[in-house]
Amino acid sequence: MRVLVTGGAGFVGSHLCDALLAENHQVVCVDNLLTGSLRNIAHLKNEPRFEFVQQDVNQPYDVGPVDYVFHFASPASPVDYMEHGIETLKVGSLGSFHSLDLAKKYGAKYMLASTSECYGDPLEHPQKETYWGNVNTIGPRSVYDESKRFAEAATMAYRRYHKVDTRILRIFNTYGPRLQLNDGRVISNFMKQALRGEPLTVYGDGKQTRSFCYVSDEVEGILRLSRSDIHDPVNIGNPVEFTILECAHLVLKVTASRSPITYEPLPQDDPKQRRPDISKARELLGWEPKINLETGLKLSMEYFQQAIEIQDAAKAGRQQTVAV
Ligand SMILES: NC(=O)c1ccc[n+]([C@@H]2O[C@H](COP(=O)([O-])OP(=O)(O)OC[C@H]3O[C@@H](n4cnc5c(N)ncnc54)[C@H](O)[C@@H]3O)[C@@H](O)[C@H]2O)c1
């Protein structure tokens, strides 16, 4: 197949490109590098089945005939989507329309990367796909949450009105190599702080919970859903729940760090708990995550160490330039 991955230079998108290439597909990655990086796809530079197109998907574009469209472009971390609020709303609306139009034009199958954020600060726990969510439509996170909820609606509309063969994936907190160092998400924050010997910042009392899915598990779930005929949303995430404080202690253990833990006020609309109910993925896709948090953190450590070195070298370079 010739496959389009929007957002393919991002964290999850680049791992998806790798997995699709490993299955012998041709991959066209369209990305404007807003939050992604060429570093994530540098290893594919000489891969003849891989093509990178630098393009804003909020503008109309056409990459020629494709058999599958994976729409993964979107700022995804709170730091990114709060900085790029309007772009985030646009990529869920305009960007979704453009990618759906391509799928319609070429008769391609379609997958939307949606999110657990569709459930907002959930009143139901764990979250099943049938739960409609509890989202503040005007809060600071709404640019992301509502953008994805709109994208889901657009996807279903193209299915109903234009008969596009669609799938909706609800990703829960995913981590691993290539996760941006400065994205403000729990794992990258803690790993960076622990490896630098800085205090680990816990927001609130640290009793709020999260579940973390290692990226190879997530990608396996994505591939299985892509081959399925399930058209309603499917949660793909790890259901094992940790308090933020437990996670901090695990990071300290894995990195052998002696960093202390400090506490800061909870940001507005920060969900108190988040855990996927993955019965649907288990039953219909035969999928469940295999990598536990401790193993996943170990597998990610080398990447985070390198990312810190690159960041420090860049900072030192900038300081030198300023001094000159
Ligand atoms: N990582 C997670 O835990 C998680 C959780 C839920 C949902 N998701 C979803 O998965 C997808 C990928 O997330 P990620 O964590 O890899 O984030 P990321 O920021 O690493 O990747 C997103 C990519 O989209 C690109 N992009 C953004 N706007 C664009 C535009 N207008 N045109 C072209 N490219 C654009 C960025 O440059 C980046 O490469 C997103 O849709 C996100 O909402 C991720």
PDB file of all heavy atoms in Angstrom, residues 7 9-13 30-37 55-58 72-76 80 91 113-115 144 148 171-174 180 185, ligand 1:
ATOM      1  N   GLY A   7       1.563  14.258  10.343  1.00  0.00           N
ATOM      2  CA  GLY A   7       2.202  14.285  11.668  1.00  0.00           C
ATOM      3  C   GLY A   7       3.236  13.187  11.823  1.00  0.00           C
ATOM      4  O   GLY A   7       3.590  12.820  12.941  1.00  0.00           O
ATOM      5  N   ALA A   9       6.361  13.184  11.450  1.00  0.00           N
ATOM      6  CA  ALA A   9       7.670  13.540  12.037  1.00  0.00           C
ATOM      7  C   ALA A   9       7.539  13.764  13.542  1.00  0.00           C
ATOM      8  O   ALA A   9       8.477  14.222  14.193  1.00  0.00           O
ATOM      9  CB  ALA A   9       8.232  14.787  11.360  1.00  0.00           C
ATOM     10  N   GLY A  10       6.369  13.451  14.082  1.00  0.00           N
ATOM     11  CA  GLY A  10       6.162  13.590  15.525  1.00  0.00           C
ATOM     12  C   GLY A  10       6.528  12.305  16.253  1.00  0.00           C
ATOM     13  O   GLY A  10       7.030  11.346  15.640  1.00  0.00           O
ATOM     14  N   PHE A  11       6.232  12.278  17.526  1.00  0.00           N
ATOM     15  CA  PHE A  11       6.594  11.132  18.376  1.00  0.00           C
ATOM     16  C   PHE A  11       5.871   9.852  17.913  1.00  0.00           C
ATOM     17  O   PHE A  11       6.499   8.914  17.399  1.00  0.00           O
ATOM     18  CB  PHE A  11       6.276  11.499  19.834  1.00  0.00           C
ATOM     19  CG  PHE A  11       6.164  10.353  20.778  1.00  0.00           C
ATOM     20  CD1 PHE A  11       7.172   9.406  20.879  1.00  0.00           C
ATOM     21  CD2 PHE A  11       5.030  10.214  21.584  1.00  0.00           C
ATOM     22  CE1 PHE A  11       7.063   8.342  21.769  1.00  0.00           C
ATOM     23  CE2 PHE A  11       4.919   9.154  22.474  1.00  0.00           C
ATOM     24  CZ  PHE A  11       5.926   8.213  22.552  1.00  0.00           C
ATOM     25  N   VAL A  12       4.559   9.811  18.038  1.00  0.00           N
ATOM     26  CA  VAL A  12       3.829   8.580  17.675  1.00  0.00           C
ATOM     27  C   VAL A  12       3.886   8.355  16.163  1.00  0.00           C
ATOM     28  O   VAL A  12       4.105   7.226  15.694  1.00  0.00           O
ATOM     29  CB  VAL A  12       2.343   8.642  18.137  1.00  0.00           C
ATOM     30  CG1 VAL A  12       1.631   7.354  17.776  1.00  0.00           C
ATOM     31  CG2 VAL A  12       2.237   8.896  19.634  1.00  0.00           C
ATOM     32  N   GLY A  13       3.708   9.451  15.395  1.00  0.00           N
ATOM     33  CA  GLY A  13       3.676   9.337  13.931  1.00  0.00           C
ATOM     34  C   GLY A  13       4.942   8.718  13.366  1.00  0.00           C
ATOM     35  O   GLY A  13       4.883   7.901  12.436  1.00  0.00           O
ATOM     36  N   VAL A  30       3.607  13.642   5.891  1.00  0.00           N
ATOM     37  CA  VAL A  30       3.371  15.076   5.693  1.00  0.00           C
ATOM     38  C   VAL A  30       3.374  15.743   7.067  1.00  0.00           C
ATOM     39  O   VAL A  30       2.617  15.344   7.953  1.00  0.00           O
ATOM     40  CB  VAL A  30       2.020  15.313   4.978  1.00  0.00           C
ATOM     41  CG1 VAL A  30       1.721  16.809   4.913  1.00  0.00           C
ATOM     42  CG2 VAL A  30       2.050  14.729   3.576  1.00  0.00           C
ATOM     43  N   ASP A  31       4.236  16.729   7.216  1.00  0.00           N
ATOM     44  CA  ASP A  31       4.388  17.361   8.529  1.00  0.00           C
ATOM     45  C   ASP A  31       4.940  18.771   8.323  1.00  0.00           C
ATOM     46  O   ASP A  31       5.787  18.984   7.458  1.00  0.00           O
ATOM     47  CB  ASP A  31       5.372  16.512   9.384  1.00  0.00           C
ATOM     48  CG  ASP A  31       5.237  16.780  10.863  1.00  0.00           C
ATOM     49  OD1 ASP A  31       5.422  17.940  11.274  1.00  0.00           O
ATOM     50  OD2 ASP A  31       4.952  15.827  11.608  1.00  0.00           O
ATOM     51  N   ASN A  32       4.465  19.715   9.126  1.00  0.00           N
ATOM     52  CA  ASN A  32       5.021  21.075   9.015  1.00  0.00           C
ATOM     53  C   ASN A  32       6.057  21.360  10.107  1.00  0.00           C
ATOM     54  O   ASN A  32       6.509  22.489  10.253  1.00  0.00           O
ATOM     55  CB  ASN A  32       3.911  22.130   9.065  1.00  0.00           C
ATOM     56  CG  ASN A  32       3.223  22.180  10.421  1.00  0.00           C
ATOM     57  OD1 ASN A  32       3.451  21.315  11.257  1.00  0.00           O
ATOM     58  ND2 ASN A  32       2.375  23.174  10.625  1.00  0.00           N
ATOM     59  N   LEU A  33       6.401  20.317  10.879  1.00  0.00           N
ATOM     60  CA  LEU A  33       7.430  20.397  11.923  1.00  0.00           C
ATOM     61  C   LEU A  33       7.088  21.401  13.031  1.00  0.00           C
ATOM     62  O   LEU A  33       7.983  21.918  13.694  1.00  0.00           O
ATOM     63  CB  LEU A  33       8.809  20.717  11.305  1.00  0.00           C
ATOM     64  CG  LEU A  33       9.270  19.747  10.209  1.00  0.00           C
ATOM     65  CD1 LEU A  33      10.615  20.170   9.636  1.00  0.00           C
ATOM     66  CD2 LEU A  33       9.361  18.315  10.742  1.00  0.00           C
ATOM     67  N   LEU A  34       5.793  21.657  13.223  1.00  0.00           N
ATOM     68  CA  LEU A  34       5.382  22.591  14.281  1.00  0.00           C
ATOM     69  C   LEU A  34       5.837  22.086  15.655  1.00  0.00           C
ATOM     70  O   LEU A  34       6.404  22.832  16.442  1.00  0.00           O
ATOM     71  CB  LEU A  34       3.846  22.758  14.263  1.00  0.00           C
ATOM     72  CG  LEU A  34       3.250  23.684  15.305  1.00  0.00           C
ATOM     73  CD1 LEU A  34       3.622  25.139  15.014  1.00  0.00           C
ATOM     74  CD2 LEU A  34       1.729  23.550  15.374  1.00  0.00           C
ATOM     75  N   THR A  35       5.569  20.834  15.930  1.00  0.00           N
ATOM     76  CA  THR A  35       6.018  20.248  17.203  1.00  0.00           C
ATOM     77  C   THR A  35       6.869  18.993  16.971  1.00  0.00           C
ATOM     78  O   THR A  35       7.386  18.418  17.919  1.00  0.00           O
ATOM     79  CB  THR A  35       4.810  19.861  18.088  1.00  0.00           C
ATOM     80  OG1 THR A  35       3.966  18.961  17.358  1.00  0.00           O
ATOM     81  CG2 THR A  35       4.012  21.078  18.493  1.00  0.00           C
ATOM     82  N   GLY A  36       6.983  18.570  15.718  1.00  0.00           N
ATOM     83  CA  GLY A  36       7.787  17.394  15.391  1.00  0.00           C
ATOM     84  C   GLY A  36       9.195  17.800  15.025  1.00  0.00           C
ATOM     85  O   GLY A  36       9.550  18.975  15.089  1.00  0.00           O
ATOM     86  N   SER A  37       9.996  16.819  14.615  1.00  0.00           N
ATOM     87  CA  SER A  37      11.393  17.121  14.321  1.00  0.00           C
ATOM     88  C   SER A  37      11.917  16.186  13.230  1.00  0.00           C
ATOM     89  O   SER A  37      11.578  14.992  13.209  1.00  0.00           O
ATOM     90  CB  SER A  37      12.218  16.929  15.594  1.00  0.00           C
ATOM     91  OG  SER A  37      13.583  16.894  15.267  1.00  0.00           O
ATOM     92  N   GLN A  55       4.722  20.311   4.904  1.00  0.00           N
ATOM     93  CA  GLN A  55       3.466  20.928   4.473  1.00  0.00           C
ATOM     94  C   GLN A  55       2.553  21.117   5.678  1.00  0.00           C
ATOM     95  O   GLN A  55       2.443  20.221   6.528  1.00  0.00           O
ATOM     96  CB  GLN A  55       2.812  19.979   3.439  1.00  0.00           C
ATOM     97  CG  GLN A  55       1.344  20.170   3.146  1.00  0.00           C
ATOM     98  CD  GLN A  55       1.064  21.377   2.255  1.00  0.00           C
ATOM     99  OE1 GLN A  55       1.803  21.607   1.294  1.00  0.00           O
ATOM    100  NE2 GLN A  55       0.044  22.142   2.577  1.00  0.00           N
ATOM    101  N   ASP A  56       1.883  22.256   5.717  1.00  0.00           N
ATOM    102  CA  ASP A  56       0.861  22.491   6.740  1.00  0.00           C
ATOM    103  C   ASP A  56      -0.432  21.835   6.256  1.00  0.00           C
ATOM    104  O   ASP A  56      -0.965  22.214   5.212  1.00  0.00           O
ATOM    105  CB  ASP A  56       0.690  24.008   6.899  1.00  0.00           C
ATOM    106  CG  ASP A  56      -0.334  24.357   7.969  1.00  0.00           C
ATOM    107  OD1 ASP A  56      -1.055  23.458   8.447  1.00  0.00           O
ATOM    108  OD2 ASP A  56      -0.404  25.553   8.323  1.00  0.00           O
ATOM    109  N   VAL A  57      -0.937  20.866   6.999  1.00  0.00           N
ATOM    110  CA  VAL A  57      -2.134  20.149   6.539  1.00  0.00           C
ATOM    111  C   VAL A  57      -3.408  20.975   6.724  1.00  0.00           C
ATOM    112  O   VAL A  57      -4.487  20.547   6.319  1.00  0.00           O
ATOM    113  CB  VAL A  57      -2.300  18.759   7.217  1.00  0.00           C
ATOM    114  CG1 VAL A  57      -1.121  17.864   6.910  1.00  0.00           C
ATOM    115  CG2 VAL A  57      -2.516  18.884   8.719  1.00  0.00           C
ATOM    116  N   ASN A  58      -3.263  22.155   7.348  1.00  0.00           N
ATOM    117  CA  ASN A  58      -4.435  23.038   7.442  1.00  0.00           C
ATOM    118  C   ASN A  58      -4.690  23.754   6.128  1.00  0.00           C
ATOM    119  O   ASN A  58      -5.750  24.341   5.932  1.00  0.00           O
ATOM    120  CB  ASN A  58      -4.250  24.057   8.572  1.00  0.00           C
ATOM    121  CG  ASN A  58      -4.099  23.373   9.914  1.00  0.00           C
ATOM    122  OD1 ASN A  58      -4.535  22.234  10.068  1.00  0.00           O
ATOM    123  ND2 ASN A  58      -3.482  24.044  10.870  1.00  0.00           N
ATOM    124  N   PHE A  72      -2.566  11.964  11.972  1.00  0.00           N
ATOM    125  CA  PHE A  72      -1.959  12.047  13.302  1.00  0.00           C
ATOM    126  C   PHE A  72      -1.440  13.448  13.607  1.00  0.00           C
ATOM    127  O   PHE A  72      -0.937  13.689  14.698  1.00  0.00           O
ATOM    128  CB  PHE A  72      -0.812  11.015  13.424  1.00  0.00           C
ATOM    129  CG  PHE A  72      -1.306   9.637  13.795  1.00  0.00           C
ATOM    130  CD1 PHE A  72      -2.245   8.992  13.003  1.00  0.00           C
ATOM    131  CD2 PHE A  72      -0.863   8.996  14.944  1.00  0.00           C
ATOM    132  CE1 PHE A  72      -2.728   7.728  13.348  1.00  0.00           C
ATOM    133  CE2 PHE A  72      -1.338   7.743  15.305  1.00  0.00           C
ATOM    134  CZ  PHE A  72      -2.276   7.105  14.506  1.00  0.00           C
ATOM    135  N   ALA A  73      -1.513  14.371  12.633  1.00  0.00           N
ATOM    136  CA  ALA A  73      -0.972  15.709  12.874  1.00  0.00           C
ATOM    137  C   ALA A  73      -1.813  16.424  13.920  1.00  0.00           C
ATOM    138  O   ALA A  73      -3.040  16.461  13.814  1.00  0.00           O
ATOM    139  CB  ALA A  73      -0.973  16.510  11.571  1.00  0.00           C
ATOM    140  N   SER A  74      -1.163  16.963  14.912  1.00  0.00           N
ATOM    141  CA  SER A  74      -1.786  17.821  15.927  1.00  0.00           C
ATOM    142  C   SER A  74      -0.796  18.020  17.068  1.00  0.00           C
ATOM    143  O   SER A  74      -0.161  17.050  17.503  1.00  0.00           O
ATOM    144  CB  SER A  74      -3.044  17.173  16.527  1.00  0.00           C
ATOM    145  OG  SER A  74      -3.508  17.971  17.611  1.00  0.00           O
ATOM    146  N   PRO A  75      -0.658  19.259  17.544  1.00  0.00           N
ATOM    147  CA  PRO A  75       0.068  19.406  18.803  1.00  0.00           C
ATOM    148  C   PRO A  75      -0.629  18.510  19.820  1.00  0.00           C
ATOM    149  O   PRO A  75      -1.865  18.399  19.805  1.00  0.00           O
ATOM    150  CB  PRO A  75      -0.124  20.893  19.151  1.00  0.00           C
ATOM    151  CG  PRO A  75      -0.393  21.556  17.830  1.00  0.00           C
ATOM    152  CD  PRO A  75      -1.167  20.544  17.036  1.00  0.00           C
ATOM    153  N   ALA A  76       0.134  17.856  20.695  1.00  0.00           N
ATOM    154  CA  ALA A  76      -0.490  16.849  21.553  1.00  0.00           C
ATOM    155  C   ALA A  76      -0.239  17.069  23.036  1.00  0.00           C
ATOM    156  O   ALA A  76      -1.021  16.603  23.866  1.00  0.00           O
ATOM    157  CB  ALA A  76       0.020  15.462  21.147  1.00  0.00           C
ATOM    158  N   ASP A  80       2.375  22.302  24.251  1.00  0.00           N
ATOM    159  CA  ASP A  80       2.286  22.628  22.820  1.00  0.00           C
ATOM    160  C   ASP A  80       0.912  23.166  22.426  1.00  0.00           C
ATOM    161  O   ASP A  80       0.804  24.152  21.710  1.00  0.00           O
ATOM    162  CB  ASP A  80       2.587  21.383  21.970  1.00  0.00           C
ATOM    163  CG  ASP A  80       4.071  21.059  21.945  1.00  0.00           C
ATOM    164  OD1 ASP A  80       4.879  21.976  22.193  1.00  0.00           O
ATOM    165  OD2 ASP A  80       4.416  19.887  21.685  1.00  0.00           O
ATOM    166  N   VAL A  91      -6.087  22.211  13.087  1.00  0.00           N
ATOM    167  CA  VAL A  91      -5.639  20.896  12.584  1.00  0.00           C
ATOM    168  C   VAL A  91      -6.698  19.817  12.864  1.00  0.00           C
ATOM    169  O   VAL A  91      -6.819  18.835  12.125  1.00  0.00           O
ATOM    170  CB  VAL A  91      -4.235  20.534  13.141  1.00  0.00           C
ATOM    171  CG1 VAL A  91      -4.292  20.006  14.558  1.00  0.00           C
ATOM    172  CG2 VAL A  91      -3.524  19.578  12.213  1.00  0.00           C
ATOM    173  N   ALA A 113      -6.306   9.885  14.638  1.00  0.00           N
ATOM    174  CA  ALA A 113      -5.716   9.760  15.981  1.00  0.00           C
ATOM    175  C   ALA A 113      -6.469  10.704  16.896  1.00  0.00           C
ATOM    176  O   ALA A 113      -6.274  11.912  16.860  1.00  0.00           O
ATOM    177  CB  ALA A 113      -4.236  10.123  15.941  1.00  0.00           C
ATOM    178  N   SER A 114      -7.385  10.153  17.680  1.00  0.00           N
ATOM    179  CA  SER A 114      -8.087  10.960  18.670  1.00  0.00           C
ATOM    180  C   SER A 114      -7.448  10.712  20.030  1.00  0.00           C
ATOM    181  O   SER A 114      -6.321  10.189  20.107  1.00  0.00           O
ATOM    182  CB  SER A 114      -9.574  10.613  18.653  1.00  0.00           C
ATOM    183  OG  SER A 114     -10.276  11.472  19.531  1.00  0.00           O
ATOM    184  N   THR A 115      -8.132  11.061  21.078  1.00  0.00           N
ATOM    185  CA  THR A 115      -7.456  11.087  22.380  1.00  0.00           C
ATOM    186  C   THR A 115      -8.383  10.819  23.554  1.00  0.00           C
ATOM    187  O   THR A 115      -9.593  11.082  23.477  1.00  0.00           O
ATOM    188  CB  THR A 115      -6.799  12.479  22.572  1.00  0.00           C
ATOM    189  OG1 THR A 115      -6.337  12.601  23.905  1.00  0.00           O
ATOM    190  CG2 THR A 115      -7.781  13.606  22.328  1.00  0.00           C
ATOM    191  N   TYR A 144      -7.686  21.800  22.519  1.00  0.00           N
ATOM    192  CA  TYR A 144      -7.299  20.441  22.124  1.00  0.00           C
ATOM    193  C   TYR A 144      -8.498  19.494  22.211  1.00  0.00           C
ATOM    194  O   TYR A 144      -8.823  18.799  21.244  1.00  0.00           O
ATOM    195  CB  TYR A 144      -6.174  19.960  23.043  1.00  0.00           C
ATOM    196  CG  TYR A 144      -5.616  18.602  22.702  1.00  0.00           C
ATOM    197  CD1 TYR A 144      -4.973  18.367  21.481  1.00  0.00           C
ATOM    198  CD2 TYR A 144      -5.698  17.545  23.608  1.00  0.00           C
ATOM    199  CE1 TYR A 144      -4.441  17.107  21.189  1.00  0.00           C
ATOM    200  CE2 TYR A 144      -5.161  16.299  23.318  1.00  0.00           C
ATOM    201  CZ  TYR A 144      -4.529  16.086  22.112  1.00  0.00           C
ATOM    202  OH  TYR A 144      -4.002  14.847  21.820  1.00  0.00           O
ATOM    203  N   LYS A 148     -10.375  17.701  18.952  1.00  0.00           N
ATOM    204  CA  LYS A 148     -10.423  16.248  18.704  1.00  0.00           C
ATOM    205  C   LYS A 148     -11.858  15.751  18.670  1.00  0.00           C
ATOM    206  O   LYS A 148     -12.195  14.848  17.909  1.00  0.00           O
ATOM    207  CB  LYS A 148      -9.642  15.520  19.802  1.00  0.00           C
ATOM    208  CG  LYS A 148      -8.141  15.701  19.699  1.00  0.00           C
ATOM    209  CD  LYS A 148      -7.564  15.011  18.474  1.00  0.00           C
ATOM    210  CE  LYS A 148      -6.051  15.126  18.444  1.00  0.00           C
ATOM    211  NZ  LYS A 148      -5.460  14.503  17.252  1.00  0.00           N
ATOM    212  N   ILE A 171      -6.177   7.493  21.728  1.00  0.00           N
ATOM    213  CA  ILE A 171      -4.882   7.202  22.350  1.00  0.00           C
ATOM    214  C   ILE A 171      -4.891   7.719  23.786  1.00  0.00           C
ATOM    215  O   ILE A 171      -5.340   8.835  24.047  1.00  0.00           O
ATOM    216  CB  ILE A 171      -3.739   7.897  21.582  1.00  0.00           C
ATOM    217  CG1 ILE A 171      -3.724   7.491  20.100  1.00  0.00           C
ATOM    218  CG2 ILE A 171      -2.391   7.639  22.233  1.00  0.00           C
ATOM    219  CD1 ILE A 171      -2.634   8.180  19.280  1.00  0.00           C
ATOM    220  N   PHE A 172      -4.401   6.892  24.705  1.00  0.00           N
ATOM    221  CA  PHE A 172      -4.179   7.331  26.085  1.00  0.00           C
ATOM    222  C   PHE A 172      -2.675   7.508  26.269  1.00  0.00           C
ATOM    223  O   PHE A 172      -1.878   6.771  25.685  1.00  0.00           O
ATOM    224  CB  PHE A 172      -4.697   6.276  27.073  1.00  0.00           C
ATOM    225  CG  PHE A 172      -6.191   6.328  27.290  1.00  0.00           C
ATOM    226  CD1 PHE A 172      -7.075   6.016  26.279  1.00  0.00           C
ATOM    227  CD2 PHE A 172      -6.707   6.691  28.522  1.00  0.00           C
ATOM    228  CE1 PHE A 172      -8.453   6.061  26.477  1.00  0.00           C
ATOM    229  CE2 PHE A 172      -8.078   6.736  28.742  1.00  0.00           C
ATOM    230  CZ  PHE A 172      -8.952   6.427  27.718  1.00  0.00           C
ATOM    231  N   ASN A 173      -2.329   8.496  27.092  1.00  0.00           N
ATOM    232  CA  ASN A 173      -0.947   8.790  27.480  1.00  0.00           C
ATOM    233  C   ASN A 173       0.096   7.769  27.015  1.00  0.00           C
ATOM    234  O   ASN A 173       0.227   6.694  27.592  1.00  0.00           O
ATOM    235  CB  ASN A 173      -0.918   8.817  29.007  1.00  0.00           C
ATOM    236  CG  ASN A 173      -0.213  10.051  29.473  1.00  0.00           C
ATOM    237  OD1 ASN A 173       0.664  10.551  28.771  1.00  0.00           O
ATOM    238  ND2 ASN A 173      -0.588  10.549  30.636  1.00  0.00           N
ATOM    239  N   THR A 174       0.845   8.129  26.001  1.00  0.00           N
ATOM    240  CA  THR A 174       1.851   7.220  25.447  1.00  0.00           C
ATOM    241  C   THR A 174       3.238   7.841  25.629  1.00  0.00           C
ATOM    242  O   THR A 174       3.380   9.063  25.564  1.00  0.00           O
ATOM    243  CB  THR A 174       1.544   6.959  23.964  1.00  0.00           C
ATOM    244  OG1 THR A 174       0.252   6.364  23.896  1.00  0.00           O
ATOM    245  CG2 THR A 174       2.544   6.045  23.306  1.00  0.00           C
ATOM    246  N   GLN A 180       9.020  14.345  23.104  1.00  0.00           N
ATOM    247  CA  GLN A 180       9.746  15.607  23.255  1.00  0.00           C
ATOM    248  C   GLN A 180      10.164  15.823  24.698  1.00  0.00           C
ATOM    249  O   GLN A 180       9.367  15.618  25.611  1.00  0.00           O
ATOM    250  CB  GLN A 180       8.836  16.762  22.901  1.00  0.00           C
ATOM    251  CG  GLN A 180       8.631  17.015  21.449  1.00  0.00           C
ATOM    252  CD  GLN A 180       7.704  18.206  21.320  1.00  0.00           C
ATOM    253  OE1 GLN A 180       8.069  19.314  21.684  1.00  0.00           O
ATOM    254  NE2 GLN A 180       6.503  17.969  20.852  1.00  0.00           N
ATOM    255  N   ARG A 185       4.849  16.798  29.673  1.00  0.00           N
ATOM    256  CA  ARG A 185       4.085  15.637  30.127  1.00  0.00           C
ATOM    257  C   ARG A 185       4.849  14.939  31.250  1.00  0.00           C
ATOM    258  O   ARG A 185       6.066  15.106  31.390  1.00  0.00           O
ATOM    259  CB  ARG A 185       3.815  14.686  28.950  1.00  0.00           C
ATOM    260  CG  ARG A 185       2.730  15.257  28.039  1.00  0.00           C
ATOM    261  CD  ARG A 185       2.301  14.291  26.961  1.00  0.00           C
ATOM    262  NE  ARG A 185       3.016  14.498  25.720  1.00  0.00           N
ATOM    263  CZ  ARG A 185       2.569  14.096  24.528  1.00  0.00           C
ATOM    264  NH1 ARG A 185       1.432  13.480  24.425  1.00  0.00           N
ATOM    265  NH2 ARG A 185       3.283  14.306  23.445  1.00  0.00           N
TER     266      ARG A 185
HETATM  267  N1  LIG B   1       1.410  10.963  22.776  1.00  0.00           N
HETATM  268  C1  LIG B   1       0.267  10.800  23.409  1.00  0.00           C
HETATM  269  O1  LIG B   1       0.257  10.391  24.571  1.00  0.00           O
HETATM  270  C2  LIG B   1      -1.047  11.048  22.710  1.00  0.00           C
HETATM  271  C3  LIG B   1      -2.214  10.875  23.463  1.00  0.00           C
HETATM  272  C4  LIG B   1      -3.437  11.094  22.832  1.00  0.00           C
HETATM  273  C5  LIG B   1      -3.483  11.435  21.509  1.00  0.00           C
HETATM  274  N2  LIG B   1      -2.339  11.593  20.809  1.00  0.00           N
HETATM  275  C6  LIG B   1      -2.472  12.012  19.403  1.00  0.00           C
HETATM  276  O2  LIG B   1      -1.510  11.356  18.599  1.00  0.00           O
HETATM  277  C7  LIG B   1      -1.042  12.241  17.581  1.00  0.00           C
HETATM  278  C8  LIG B   1       0.465  12.355  17.663  1.00  0.00           C
HETATM  279  O3  LIG B   1       0.837  12.870  18.934  1.00  0.00           O
HETATM  280  P1  LIG B   1       2.355  12.958  19.392  1.00  0.00           P
HETATM  281  O4  LIG B   1       2.420  12.678  20.832  1.00  0.00           O
HETATM  282  O5  LIG B   1       3.193  12.163  18.471  1.00  0.00           O
HETATM  283  O6  LIG B   1       2.635  14.518  19.210  1.00  0.00           O
HETATM  284  P2  LIG B   1       3.808  15.263  18.407  1.00  0.00           P
HETATM  285  O7  LIG B   1       3.668  16.705  18.715  1.00  0.00           O
HETATM  286  O8  LIG B   1       5.109  14.606  18.695  1.00  0.00           O
HETATM  287  O9  LIG B   1       3.421  14.968  16.892  1.00  0.00           O
HETATM  288  C9  LIG B   1       2.470  15.702  16.188  1.00  0.00           C
HETATM  289  C10 LIG B   1       3.009  16.001  14.810  1.00  0.00           C
HETATM  290  O10 LIG B   1       2.027  16.735  14.057  1.00  0.00           O
HETATM  291  C11 LIG B   1       2.693  17.770  13.347  1.00  0.00           C
HETATM  292  N3  LIG B   1       1.736  18.827  13.044  1.00  0.00           N
HETATM  293  C12 LIG B   1       1.023  19.580  13.911  1.00  0.00           C
HETATM  294  N4  LIG B   1       0.246  20.461  13.251  1.00  0.00           N
HETATM  295  C13 LIG B   1       0.461  20.249  11.932  1.00  0.00           C
HETATM  296  C14 LIG B   1      -0.034  20.828  10.737  1.00  0.00           C
HETATM  297  N5  LIG B   1      -0.934  21.836  10.766  1.00  0.00           N
HETATM  298  N6  LIG B   1       0.413  20.371   9.548  1.00  0.00           N
HETATM  299  C15 LIG B   1       1.324  19.353   9.488  1.00  0.00           C
HETATM  300  N7  LIG B   1       1.835  18.768  10.587  1.00  0.00           N
HETATM  301  C16 LIG B   1       1.408  19.203  11.790  1.00  0.00           C
HETATM  302  C17 LIG B   1       3.803  18.210  14.287  1.00  0.00           C
HETATM  303  O11 LIG B   1       4.838  18.937  13.649  1.00  0.00           O
HETATM  304  C18 LIG B   1       4.278  16.877  14.853  1.00  0.00           C
HETATM  305  O12 LIG B   1       5.291  16.296  14.063  1.00  0.00           O
HETATM  306  C19 LIG B   1      -1.744  13.577  17.791  1.00  0.00           C
HETATM  307  O13 LIG B   1      -2.858  13.659  16.933  1.00  0.00           O
HETATM  308  C20 LIG B   1      -2.206  13.499  19.226  1.00  0.00           C
HETATM  309  O14 LIG B   1      -3.349  14.274  19.477  1.00  0.00           O
HETATM  310  C21 LIG B   1      -1.121  11.427  21.383  1.00  0.00           C
END
